[in-house]
Amino acid sequence: MLIELPWGWRMPSMRAVLEARRKAAVVRVEELEAELERVQADLADAEEVLRHRVIGLEQYLEALAEEEAPAMAIGGPSRRKPVGPRRAVPHRGVADAVDAGGSGSAAEGRGGAGGGARS
């Protein structure tokens, strides 16, 4: 509905403007309702995934606790004092080379030239 003004301009009536705004609002409400349904479906899916992950995490933690429980029950926590730093021990080949190259007294004390206790 257009109203013609005395100077020749045609202007829509207030009723037509309000009716157009109402129609636009109805369309927007329908779009938002559709989006709400989509978001609610996505939320339900995400909650289901979260529920499965929580169950999986609980099962994993229970399995870890079961693995640790028998070890703790059998041996229990170690009550020995912690050992301080240890000194380096030369490898067998290095020790035999030093003994063989020396006066020979170390080799004789072991029962043979360069034999060692394991041979």
Side-chain angles (χ1 to χ4, degrees):
M1 221 153 101
L2 295 174
I3 299 175
E4 190 166 333
L5 298 173
W7 49 86
W9 291 356
R10 291 175 37 161
M11 183 171 145
S13 69
M14 184 57 81
R15 181 176 177 191
V17 170
L18 294 176
E19 187 65 27
R21 287 182 183 174
R22 186 190 67 76
K23 287 180 183 179
V26 168
V27 169
R28 180 71 176 140
V29 166
E30 291 171 354
E31 290 172 352
L32 290 174
E33 287 174 344
E35 184 177 352
L36 176 62
E37 290 176 11
R38 183 189 55 80
V39 169
Q40 286 175 335
D42 288 347
L43 177 62
D45 292 344
E47 287 175 341
E48 183 69 16
V49 168
L50 175 63
R51 188 177 69 79
H52 284 287
R53 288 183 179 173
V54 167
I55 291 171
L57 177 61
E58 290 172 350
Q59 291 174 345
Y60 174 72
L61 293 175
E62 287 174 4
L64 284 178
E66 289 174 0
E67 288 178 5
E68 291 177 2
M72 295 299 282
I74 293 172
S78 176
R79 294 188 179 159
R80 296 181 4 193
K81 261 173 81 174
V83 179
R86 299 179 182 206
R87 63 185 187 120
V89 178
H91 292 285
R92 180 176 173 182
V94 174
D96 288 343
V98 170
D99 291 341
S103 63
S105 60
E108 291 171 6
R110 283 196 311 255
R118 293 186 185 178
S119 46

